[in-house]
């Protein structure tokens, strides 16, 4: 098997049953595995809510480490729509020329740096740096903040030996409290200041609401972007001909990015809590129990995707759900897509080949399933064109 | 090759001229309000939803199964809905009128 590959562990369960079960801190989850069921359930917010206890729709559950509600992620319509109306224009800024140019400078500098360095760990020395620096653009904050975030390591909520590290989560929450207080005293043009000045449904946002938006912005786009970037590097390391093809056929770069995002599905799943007794794919779902929308499984559904186990760079029809589906689709998707585009454009311009020296996979244990979501370590050597 | 009119969510008609590519790309290039095309045209995001004028629906034809599945869960969809990333610009589309969904 090639090193970039992320085999689908859900094929059998998806085809035979459509659902699977996993326990998570004694709050079990019915995992929904087929694309159509995932989309229908995501759309049905009245029966499958996001506005449960803070942290409960996340798998593994964060109810024991977090009291702050992440917004708009853990809010249901119609209030959810009011928050999205406020936030969407800010989170579409990555489409602007200046934003794109600044991101291009960041990625150019980083690629130039790793091309001179010999063997580096792509996770720590590339993906984490890229993600953190790009986040300063999304927040419109000082570029030097990235150094602080890089210092936190690859996981905001997780340490090496504990997937749910309360102390590490506290570090982020305290940092955000400080930043909101600082912006309150001396507003600038950053996201904290914009939120402090904003109103939703005629009311100023509370400190706790702003904190909830900021936690989502930090946590939601960290592991996911790091995994997407690292997996993409591993793919190009084993497919130098794809770098050449994209250089010669730039028109398919957009499709290639969507395909890499489909295949690698940086977020495996997201939960919902049933508000009433229901059924999904003929499986009974009890009120107040959890289901998960398993994006990673849905993206490999052979009833929709031809040859789902293959990366087909110019895949034309690609209704993947890596950015979720319906009301709660990913707020940071525009930023993530722009990162991927600038990354691919920079790699095809500057990089001739990438050697993988050694690696350690990041495997998630999900009940009976094991899914590779990325790498803990990917030591690589970048070679210039 | 074809003049296509978009009626925006504010009920403003915008007529643009396209040579090739998809109707979504044409709309995005011309900043037609309400057509985002977030996924670049691979039928993943449903942010390019339009209603085709009933009498012109035969010009664009029926959606594929995958596109229909996307539209099925769009609360604003009707029998003349299409995702315009899946409509290629051809000379036959000259004069087409599309109403941007979400009004």
């Amino acid at each position: 098997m090639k090193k970039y590959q992320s085999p689908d562990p859900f094929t059998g369960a998806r085809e035979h049953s459509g659902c699977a079960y996993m326990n998570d801190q004694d709050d079990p989850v019915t995992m929904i595995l087929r694309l159509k069921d995932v989309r229908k359930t995501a759309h049905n917010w009245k029966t499958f809510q996001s506005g449960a206890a803070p942290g409960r729709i996340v798998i593994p559950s964060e109810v024991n480490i977090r009291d702050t509600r992440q917004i708009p992620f853990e809010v249901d319509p119609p209030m959810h729509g009011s928050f999205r109306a406020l936030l969407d224009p800010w989170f579409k800024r990555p489409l602007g020329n200046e934003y794109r140019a600044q991101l291009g400078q960041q990625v150019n500098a980083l690629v130039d740096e790793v091309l001179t360095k010999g063997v580096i760990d792509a996770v720590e020395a590339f993906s984490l740096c890229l993600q953190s620096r790009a986040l300063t653009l999304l927040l419109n904050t000082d570029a030097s903040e990235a150094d602080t975030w890089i210092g936190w390591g690859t996981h905001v909520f997780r340490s090496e030996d504990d997937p749910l590290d309360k102390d590490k989560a506290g570090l982020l929450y305290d940092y955000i409290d400080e930043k909101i207080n600082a912006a309150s005293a001396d507003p600038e043009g950053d996201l904290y200041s914009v939120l402090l000045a904003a109103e939703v449904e005629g009311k100023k946002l509370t400190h706790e609401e702003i904190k909830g938006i900021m936690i989502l912005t930090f946590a939601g786009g960290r592991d996911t972007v790091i995994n997407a970037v690292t997996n993409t590097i591993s793919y190009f390391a084993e497919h130098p001909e794809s770098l050449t093809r994209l250089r010669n056929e730039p028109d398919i770069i957009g499709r290639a990015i969507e395909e890499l995002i489909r295949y690698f599905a940086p977020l495996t799943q997201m939960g919902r809590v049933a508000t009433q007794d229901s059924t999904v794919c003929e499986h009974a779902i009890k009120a107040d129990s959890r289901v998960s929308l398993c994006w990673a499984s849905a993206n490999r559904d052979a009833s929709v995707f031809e040859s789902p186990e293959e990366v087909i760079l110019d895949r034309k029809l690609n209704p993947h759900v890596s950015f979720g589906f319906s009301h709660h689709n990913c707020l940071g998707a525009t930023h993530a897509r722009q990162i991927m585009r600038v990354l691919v454009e920079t790699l095809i311009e500057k990089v001739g080949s990438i050697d993988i020296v050694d690696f350690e996979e990041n495997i998630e244990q999900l009940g009976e399933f094991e899914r590779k979501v990325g790498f803990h370590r990917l030591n690589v050597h970048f070679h210039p064109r | 090759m074809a003049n296509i009119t978009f009626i925006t969510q504010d009920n403003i008609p915008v007529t643009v001229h396209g040579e090739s590519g998809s109707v979504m790309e044409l709309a995005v290039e011309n900043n037609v309000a309400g057509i985002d095309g977030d996924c670049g045209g691979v039928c993943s995001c449903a942010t390019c939803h339009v209603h085709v004028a009933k009498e012109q629906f035969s010009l664009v034809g029926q959606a594929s199964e995958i596109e229909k599945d996307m539209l099925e869960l769009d609360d604003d969809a009707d029998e003349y809905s299409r995702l315009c990333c899946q409509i290629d610009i051809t000379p036959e589309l000259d004069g087409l009128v599309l109403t941007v969904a979400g009004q």
Side-chain angles (χ1 to χ4, degrees):
Chain A
M1 193 177 87
K2 291 203 165 188
K3 299 176 185 75
Y4 83 90
Q5 285 179 315
S6 174
D8 175 30
F10 306 110
T11 309
R14 183 177 56 243
E15 289 175 0
H16 291 115
S17 160
C19 289
Y21 301 93
M22 65 175 277
N23 193 12
D24 168 31
Q25 301 164 72
D26 297 324
D27 190 4
V29 181
T30 301
M31 304 166 76
I32 302 169
L33 301 175
R34 295 176 182 162
L35 179 68
K36 286 185 187 180
D37 293 328
V38 165
R39 287 205 296 219
K40 273 186 189 162
T41 308
H43 190 64
N44 185 3
W45 58 271
K46 287 182 179 164
T47 304
F48 299 100
Q49 68 165 182
S50 296
R56 197 173 171 213
I57 63 167
V58 183
I59 303 163
S61 170
E62 294 174 356
V63 289
N64 294 319
I65 61 164
R66 170 159 68 85
D67 300 317
T68 302
R69 180 171 299 282
Q70 291 188 10
I71 298 173
F73 163 66
E74 291 174 321
V75 178
D76 290 306
M79 195 62 181
H80 168 268
S82 300
F83 278 109
R84 283 297 292 248
L86 166 68
L87 295 169
D88 280 347
W90 182 272
F91 282 83
K92 291 274 186 189
R93 287 163 49 253
L95 294 174
N97 289 337
E98 192 187 342
Y99 194 106
R100 196 179 143 77
Q102 288 177 313
L103 188 57
Q105 285 170 7
Q106 289 181 348
V107 178
N108 259 281
L110 188 59
V111 171
D112 284 344
E113 187 187 327
V114 297
L115 279 169
T116 65
K117 274 201 167 171
V119 178
I120 56 129
D121 175 9
V123 179
E124 293 279 343
F126 192 88
S127 305
L128 173 61
C129 296
L130 196 167
Q131 184 274 335
S132 296
R133 289 172 192 168
L135 186 61
T136 65
L137 300 178
L138 188 62
L139 268 55
N140 197 31
T141 191
D142 196 278
S144 63
E145 288 296 309
D147 298 333
T148 304
W149 308 333
I150 291 167
W152 290 343
T154 47
H155 300 283
V156 172
F157 289 115
R158 301 174 182 83
S159 60
E160 287 289 307
D161 49 1
D162 181 0
L164 292 164
D165 184 333
K166 196 164 187 173
D167 290 340
K168 210 156 189 185
L171 183 85
L172 172 66
Y173 303 158
D174 292 346
Y175 171 88
I176 290 173
D177 279 334
E178 265 176 44
K179 289 290 170 186
I180 296 170
N181 291 336
S184 181
D186 183 17
E188 295 179 11
D190 56 20
L191 180 55
Y192 307 97
S193 306
V194 168
L195 295 175
L196 280 160
E199 290 186 357
V200 167
E201 299 194 349
K203 285 197 291 194
K204 289 270 191 195
L205 275 62
T206 64
H207 181 102
E208 188 71 2
E209 286 172 331
I210 295 171
K211 187 175 175 180
I213 293 168
M214 296 308 304
I215 294 173
L216 173 66
T217 306
F218 273 96
R222 196 160 170 97
D223 292 1
T224 48
V225 169
I226 290 168
N227 286 335
V229 170
T230 310
N231 283 325
T232 296
I233 289 170
S234 73
Y235 170 78
F236 283 123
E238 296 186 306
H239 294 86
E241 77 286 358
S242 292
L243 287 172
T244 307
R245 181 176 178 198
L246 292 172
R247 199 177 295 136
N248 295 333
E249 297 176 60
D251 287 352
I252 66 162
I253 290 175
R255 285 185 197 169
I257 289 165
E258 295 302 316
E259 175 66 347
L260 291 167
I261 290 170
R262 175 194 73 86
Y263 182 81
F264 290 120
L267 181 67
T268 300
Q269 59 185 342
M270 185 49 64
R272 295 287 189 267
V273 175
T275 56
Q276 60 192 60
D277 288 349
S278 182
T279 55
V280 173
C281 188
E282 298 176 354
H283 294 255
I285 308 292
K286 285 210 176 308
D288 198 41
S289 70
R290 298 199 294 168
V291 298
S292 91
L293 312 167
C294 190
W295 317 120
S297 168
N299 283 351
R300 304 291 180 94
D301 189 333
S303 71
V304 180
F305 299 97
E306 207 171 303
S307 306
E309 297 303 307
E310 287 177 40
V311 174
I312 300 172
L313 286 183
D314 59 353
R315 192 183 287 275
K316 189 163 188 263
L317 275 173
N318 194 349
H320 69 78
V321 284
S322 286
F323 290 119
F325 184 76
S326 200
H327 316 79
H328 282 283
N329 61 8
C330 176
L331 183 61
T334 310
H335 177 70
R337 283 184 164 117
Q338 200 63 282
I339 287 175
M340 287 290 285
R341 175 166 281 276
V342 171
L343 172 67
V344 168
E345 288 175 351
T346 310
L347 291 177
I348 62 179
E349 182 196 334
K350 291 177 179 279
V351 175
S353 63
I354 305 165
D355 294 332
I356 297 177
V357 178
D358 62 71
F359 64 94
E360 182 191 351
E361 293 182 337
N362 179 358
I363 307 280
E364 289 179 340
Q365 187 72 47
L366 311 155
E368 67 192 275
F369 307 103
E370 287 188 348
R371 175 176 188 249
K372 178 192 161 200
V373 69
F375 295 88
H376 287 304
R377 187 185 72 253
L378 180 70
N379 285 335
V380 292
H381 193 163
F382 284 79
H383 300 284
R385 277 180 72 195
Chain B
M1 199 153 105
N3 287 312
I4 295 175
T5 299
F6 295 89
I7 311 289
T8 69
Q9 291 161 346
D10 297 328
N11 211 23
I12 298 168
V14 181
T15 301
V16 292
H17 180 78
E19 296 285 339
S20 61
S22 76
V23 173
M24 180 278 290
E25 288 167 327
L26 178 69
V28 170
E29 281 163 18
N30 288 280
N31 298 310
V32 173
I35 301 290
D36 294 339
D38 288 346
C39 74
V42 296
C43 204
S44 160
C45 69
T47 61
C48 63
H49 179 187
V50 293
H51 300 285
V52 183
K54 181 182 171 184
E55 61 279 8
Q56 292 183 314
F57 195 72
S58 60
L59 293 177
V60 300
Q62 294 287 334
S64 68
E65 281 304 308
I66 283 178
E67 186 185 333
K68 279 182 182 165
D69 286 342
M70 291 292 289
L71 287 164
E72 183 194 1
L73 294 173
D74 191 315
D75 298 333
D76 190 39
D78 63 22
E79 59 190 305
Y80 304 111
S81 284
R82 289 294 310 266
L83 298 176
C84 64
C85 70
Q86 299 302 307
I87 305 173
D88 287 330
I89 296 171
T90 61
E92 289 73 32
L93 297 190
D94 191 43
L96 184 67
V97 178
L98 302 170
T99 303
V100 178
Q103 294 186 7

